[in-house]
Amino acid sequence: MKMMSQNRTLRPAVVKAVHDVTPHMRRVTLVGDDIKRLPVEHPAQWMKVFLPAPPGRKPEGRAYTIRRYEATAGLMEMDFVLHGDNGPASAWAEKAKVGDVLQLAGPRAGYRVDPAASRHLMVGDATSLPAIAAILEALPPGVTADAFIEVNGTDEEQKLETAASLNVTWLHSSSEPPGTTGQLELAVQGAVLDLSDCQAWVAGESFMVRAVRTYLTVDRLLPSGRLHAAGYWKMGDADHRDRD
């Protein structure tokens, strides 16, 4: 079955393992022969995940970041934020088990680490944490990374691995959805950041992303070509994603 282009070919993937990274972040390990041939070359690339559907109903698709990829093993890991039945992907992940089958299409986009950049800025809510973690793992030694991440609470914080010199600021949204409290915007605006020779990644709730992007490019004069900004979701929109 074909979609609009080569990287929209549907590829079957089987659930090999499921485990919880935090109380509200579930990691699903997928395997399949077709996964071995995917052009995964950069951190934070994403796949369109088509969820199982009843007979006669069209499968729903959602975009998810590749958390880890092993071509030789035909293995891919994805992290799903668990928030009950408020979305088809979350509802599927709540019940996911070994042997379940998904259809994947992609990959697309990603963060192309500029070898000339000496600083990297990461800003995002819980939905962008898999991408931020993957980017940090890809950074070389000798560079500095500043990360501002909003999750529900301390139990949702994750250990971040990187060869870079990392400064991370965790923000907690409590009962509100991470990315909607305004804390990320204020934290970035109030931080002392050296944006010279800096590459930036901002992702998460669409309004937050827009506000941080405007601050960085208009107030701080960060060249737009040095910034990757993506609205992963939007309050009140069931299937929002910025197009790239």
Side-chain angles (χ1 to χ4, degrees):
M1 180 177 178
K2 299 286 183 180
M3 297 181 71
M4 291 183 65
S5 63
Q6 184 178 359
N7 73 348
R8 285 300 179 261
T9 300
L10 291 180
R11 308 173 189 273
V14 179
V15 175
K16 181 181 180 180
V18 179
H19 81 274
D20 291 340
V21 181
T22 67
H24 292 94
M25 185 75 79
R26 178 159 295 175
R27 181 162 298 162
V28 177
T29 303
L30 302 167
V31 293
D33 288 340
D34 284 349
I35 293 177
K36 297 178 181 179
R37 295 181 286 274
L38 293 175
V40 179
E41 302 169 344
H42 308 285
Q45 285 184 268
W46 58 271
M47 304 287 292
K48 195 78 169 184
V49 177
F50 291 89
L51 306 163
R57 182 179 299 178
K58 183 179 179 181
E60 292 193 63
R62 294 292 186 272
Y64 273 86
T65 300
I66 300 169
R67 178 61 184 85
R68 186 169 69 93
Y69 176 70
E70 293 183 8
T72 55
L75 181 148
M76 178 181 294
E77 290 182 342
M78 292 182 174
D79 290 354
F80 292 77
V81 177
L82 301 179
H83 43 76
D85 293 331
N86 293 331
S90 177
W92 176 84
E94 291 271 8
K95 301 174 182 177
K97 62 184 184 302
V98 174
D100 287 349
V101 178
L102 294 172
Q103 299 287 332
L104 305 177
R108 294 193 67 185
Y111 186 79
R112 291 164 172 78
V113 177
D114 184 350
S118 62
R119 306 187 68 88
H120 294 264
L121 173 64
M122 309 279 121
V123 183
D125 58 32
T127 63
S128 70
L129 184 48
I132 291 174
I135 292 169
L136 290 174
E137 289 174 4
L139 295 182
V143 304
T144 298
D146 293 291
F148 295 82
I149 308 168
E150 185 174 36
V151 294
N152 286 114
T154 56
D155 58 348
E156 294 299 321
E157 296 179 10
Q158 296 184 27
K159 183 179 180 181
L160 301 172
E161 304 285 350
T162 184
S165 176
L166 175 63
N167 306 302
V168 59
T169 298
W170 291 100
L171 302 166
H172 302 141
S173 66
S174 188
S175 60
E176 299 300 316
T180 67
T181 66
Q183 293 187 94
L184 279 170
E185 298 94 311
L186 291 174
V188 174
Q189 292 170 11
V192 179
L193 296 172
D194 181 359
L195 298 184
S196 60
D197 197 23
C198 180
Q199 189 177 6
W201 167 277
V202 183
E205 201 283 325
S206 182
F207 182 84
M208 177 275 294
V209 170
R210 191 180 308 116
V212 174
R213 179 180 60 198
T214 299
Y215 170 72
L216 293 176
T217 57
V218 176
D219 295 87
R220 296 298 308 275
L221 303 180
L222 180 71
S224 58
R226 308 289 291 174
L227 169 65
H228 181 107
Y232 280 0
W233 66 285
K234 185 177 182 179
M235 287 289 286
D237 190 333
D239 187 21
H240 172 84
R241 177 137 187 159
D242 287 351
R243 304 306 175 197
D244 53 23

